[in-house]
Amino acid sequence: MKNPAILFLLLVHPLMGEPAQPKPAEPKPAFRDAATNETLTAKFREVSKKDPVAKFEKYKGEDLSAQSKVGSLLARSELITFNGNTTLVPKNAIIRIPEKYKSRVNNHKPGSKILNWADFYRLNRGWINTIEVSFSQAKGLVTVSGKEMDVLDESGNLVVAVLKNSPVSVNPLKENTETTEKEKLETTKPEATKPETTKPEGTKTEGTKP
Amino acid sequence: MKLKFTSKWMAVLATACLTSAQVNAQYTNLIRQVQLGNIAAGDPVQTDVSVLPVGQQASPELINDTGARFELWTMDSSGAEIEELLIDTRYVGVYVPLADVTIRTEDTNSAVPRTRADRPIYVDLTISALRSGVDDPAASKSVKFKHHIQSYGDGGTGVGLDTDLATTLSEVMINENGVQNLTYELTSIAGEDRSKIRGEERFSIFALDDYQAVEHQLASQTVQVWPVADGTISGIENGDTIEFSTPPLTLAINDIYPEARVYAQVYQGEKRDDGFVGEVVPGSGVAVNEAVPQNRLLTIPDWDSVITANGAWTMELLTVTPFGIDRLAWVSFNVDRTISVRASSTTSE
């Protein structure tokens, strides 16, 4: 060995460093006998005397929680399924369902992929049309009708009501509804998408033609 | 009136949820805007808005005077049926108090708050934007805090629970902004055996109904309550003496807390109550990875290796949970393996 001193230093070096800092001891976990019914019953009797919300005024009105429940989305929706894809729209958003397309509504096939409305509509414009409605029409204060609707009826396509291109539920026209001047002004003529006469975009004719 | 609605925070929630969900699932997110109003006015108008995992966009529909609820949903279509999951809801209106509910427990390992039947529940309520003017509507001056409890029943896990059947334990009005820290020392769920309660408690804050809008939920959180484990050591009795090899043991453990560990240990001497750490009995360790309590039955055929001397010994059956170490059962016994030879020797000369 040519330089035993170097080897000695290498061997000793780790020992010459700062003394290792002791790790802070982890707090010892609490140790106890498992609680039993007897111990917990006694404790519950004691803690029940302290009501955490005692300082607040008790509510004395009727229980209105039922009307604020969100509920199931599917129960409030209609499904449109075609060619391995499904989309949801709010209930009452489909305002025309021709007989030939009834099997495509609320008939979800297992394995069908859920698409958002925009993507689904882009693939299925060959047989789906939209009609832009006003908020008053959606509320059922003003009827959805007019030439545009007639054109859509003649097209034989399924018609979905949209508000700024998003599917919207349309309540049935309320009887004896007095439309206010403001609402009349708000009401715009429905603007329908033209029935598609060309092949649906991004799809093969055989796959999407009704 | 047009309010810009951002879905960014909701979408982040959705992403977080989806990353922990099944890999094979096919999720589609959407926000449904529901125009709230007088029930007599008919069904609320509903609009769907497609959302990207992250982003923001304006709501297509105007916000009614009566306010609108935005629901963030995700739909999974990978199975035979469409699975829907409501991730969050928010209400937007003319005057809307802001509220948040946070539940804290000693178990911080779960995204869904959970605790055990013998441990406390801490509820933090944060309320802001309440008004106090004389002319301000009543619904802008206070919120309603509700506490629901619901038992899962014997052995229940909460699957398919109809939360409509929950019991309202308390319903109070809060009319001050700020943070309220509430402590519930024990679960309020009723049960014949209070150590075996399993169920959930829901804490919610609602905006009040008034002439413009129906009562609606501002925030809500639920905590699951699981039973205290129990266990037995069979095969050896308190006060027994082991003279030869150790007898086979059976360890029966019920209601092991989610993600807890169970094991048996031995140490020399009589039973100690200071959490002394002994030798783990071979074959007695169990780690539970399920999200609901589990039962286990273990057979220990040979544990001779941990008995190293004569004298008094104690065996304990323990469970390690986020709440500490609980002793489920114990037994003290003696070991006397002195070999005494009774013989006589003679010599013949």
Side-chain angles (χ1 to χ4, degrees):
Chain A
M1 187 171 294
K2 289 183 178 177
N3 197 342
I6 293 175
L7 179 63
F8 175 76
L9 281 175
L10 284 173
L11 288 170
V12 169
H13 177 71
L15 304 175
M16 292 170 66
E18 291 286 320
Q21 294 293 322
K23 283 185 180 177
E26 289 188 5
K28 197 175 176 183
F31 179 87
R32 63 179 87 83
D33 281 312
T36 62
N37 182 38
E38 290 72 30
T39 57
L40 289 177
T41 301
K43 188 176 178 185
F44 184 70
R45 202 174 293 128
E46 192 61 31
V47 301
S48 296
K49 295 172 186 168
K50 294 181 289 182
D51 181 2
V53 293
K55 67 175 180 177
F56 301 117
E57 177 195 349
K58 283 191 177 164
Y59 176 74
K60 297 186 181 84
E62 59 180 317
D63 186 2
L64 301 169
S65 54
Q67 67 188 43
S68 64
K69 283 196 186 305
V70 172
S72 160
L73 179 69
L74 290 171
R76 291 179 282 137
S77 303
E78 284 174 310
L79 303 177
I80 308 173
T81 303
F82 184 58
N83 213 17
N85 296 318
T86 291
T87 195
L88 289 91
V89 295
K91 228 175 201 31
N92 298 328
I94 306 177
I95 54 178
R96 290 285 187 280
I97 309 176
E99 190 65 33
K100 59 185 173 183
Y101 296 135
K102 278 191 173 168
S103 62
R104 300 181 186 181
V105 176
N106 295 329
N107 191 20
H108 173 72
K109 303 275 191 295
S112 291
K113 186 180 178 185
I114 294 188
L115 299 181
N116 64 44
W117 163 254
D119 290 341
F120 185 86
Y121 178 54
R122 187 170 51 80
L123 294 172
N124 293 283
R125 282 186 294 186
W127 61 281
I128 297 177
N129 291 120
T130 60
I131 183 165
E132 189 75 27
V133 297
S134 68
F135 188 52
S136 294
Q137 288 172 319
K139 284 200 286 189
L141 301 174
V142 178
T143 183
V144 181
S145 60
K147 284 183 183 174
E148 291 82 0
M149 199 65 226
D150 295 340
V151 172
L152 290 178
D153 282 341
E154 287 170 16
S155 75
N157 283 354
L158 186 130
V159 180
V160 175
V162 293
L163 186 65
K164 293 192 173 66
N165 296 320
S166 292
V168 63
S169 61
V170 176
N171 282 338
L173 187 67
K174 291 178 176 60
E175 290 182 8
N176 304 323
T177 300
E178 288 185 16
T179 309
T180 64
E181 284 306 310
K182 185 185 170 191
E183 283 167 341
K184 278 178 185 167
L185 286 172
E186 188 190 327
T187 307
T188 54
K189 281 188 176 178
E191 187 182 316
T193 55
K194 280 187 178 178
E196 198 80 23
T197 51
T198 55
K199 290 177 188 177
E201 190 180 297
T203 56
K204 291 181 180 176
T205 308
E206 287 175 4
T208 55
K209 272 222 166 180
Chain B
M1 177 180 62
K2 183 176 183 181
L3 296 180
K4 187 173 182 184
F5 171 67
T6 173
S7 65
K8 188 173 182 179
W9 59 273
M10 285 185 164
V12 169
L13 268 176
T15 310
C17 176
L18 303 188
T19 50
S20 63
Q22 295 171 359
V23 175
N24 294 331
Q26 298 174 353
Y27 287 103
T28 305
N29 306 328
L30 67 88
I31 289 176
R32 175 157 293 187
Q33 178 180 347
V34 181
Q35 298 285 14
L36 300 177
N38 191 335
I39 288 179
D43 293 335
V45 174
Q46 305 192 25
T47 319
D48 284 346
V49 184
S50 307
V51 288
L52 298 170
V54 176
Q56 54 184 318
Q57 61 198 71
S59 67
E61 212 177 317
L62 306 180
I63 306 294
N64 254 359
D65 289 345
T66 49
R69 183 177 68 226
F70 292 87
E71 309 162 6
L72 175 63
W73 291 87
T74 191
M75 316 295 289
D76 174 17
S77 56
S78 58
E81 300 289 332
I82 299 173
E83 298 279 342
E84 60 179 13
L85 175 66
L86 177 64
I87 296 175
D88 208 340
T89 62
R90 282 294 182 272
Y91 177 83
V92 178
V94 179
Y95 48 80
V96 185
L98 303 175
D100 193 28
V101 178
T102 304
I103 293 175
R104 290 178 291 117
T105 69
E106 295 155 296
D107 180 0
T108 55
N109 297 336
S110 170
V112 177
R114 67 186 180 199
T115 190
R116 210 172 57 182
D118 61 329
R119 306 309 302 166
I121 300 166
Y122 306 100
V123 182
D124 301 332
L125 312 178
T126 307
I127 297 160
S128 58
L130 283 176
R131 298 179 184 179
S132 56
V134 178
D135 298 329
D136 288 325
S140 70
K141 293 183 181 177
S142 57
V143 292
K144 188 194 291 182
F145 172 61
K146 295 177 86 166
H147 178 189
H148 289 93
I149 54 173
Q150 191 165 17
S151 170
Y152 292 160
D154 285 349
T157 58
V159 174
L161 188 74
D162 183 356
T163 54
D164 286 347
L165 302 177
T167 303
T168 305
L169 192 70
S170 64
E171 201 169 1
V172 297
M173 309 294 291
I174 300 177
N175 54 15
E176 54 189 281
N177 291 317
V179 179
Q180 306 286 345
N181 303 114
L182 310 178
T183 300
Y184 295 82
E185 293 288 348
L186 287 177
T187 177
S188 305
I189 302 169
E192 198 172 317
D193 183 342
R194 293 211 64 80
S195 68
K196 291 299 175 188
I197 287 170
R198 46 173 75 206
E200 62 183 41
E201 302 200 25
R202 189 167 73 248
F203 301 90
S204 316
I205 298 178
F206 290 82
L208 302 180
D209 71 310
D210 68 357
Y211 68 98
Q212 284 192 316
V214 297
E215 177 180 297
H216 52 271
Q217 181 179 295
L218 296 172
S220 181
Q221 202 168 23
T222 300
V223 57
Q224 288 186 308
V225 180
W226 296 118
V228 180
D230 68 282
T232 56
I233 302 170
S234 307
I236 189 167
E237 297 286 326
N238 216 22
D240 277 0
T241 297
I242 297 173
E243 293 180 339
F244 302 105
S245 59
T246 51
L249 298 179
T250 302
L251 306 178
I253 314 108
N254 302 314
D255 297 324
I256 305 171
Y257 189 79
E259 296 173 54
R261 289 188 296 122
V262 173
Y263 64 95
Q265 70 170 12
V266 291
Y267 52 81
Q268 274 191 286
E270 296 299 323
K271 184 185 76 144
R272 299 171 59 152
D273 295 328
D274 59 353
F276 183 77
V277 179
E279 284 290 316
V280 176
V281 175
S284 69
V286 173
V288 165
N289 293 317
E290 285 86 348
V292 296
Q294 300 291 310
N295 300 335
R296 292 287 186 274
L297 188 66
L298 303 174
T299 303
I300 313 290
D302 177 17
W303 45 289
D304 219 51
S305 60
V306 290
I307 302 298
T308 53
N310 286 341
W313 284 80
T314 297
M315 176 182 286
E316 295 175 333
L317 181 57
L318 305 173
T319 182
V320 182
T321 69
F323 317 106
I325 300 174
D326 290 271
R327 182 164 53 198
L328 308 180
W330 61 273
V331 58
S332 287
F333 52 91
N334 294 308
V335 177
D336 181 4
R337 286 164 164 170
T338 306
I339 300 174
S340 55
V341 178
R342 297 184 182 185
S344 60
S345 61
T346 56
T347 56
S348 60
E349 289 187 3

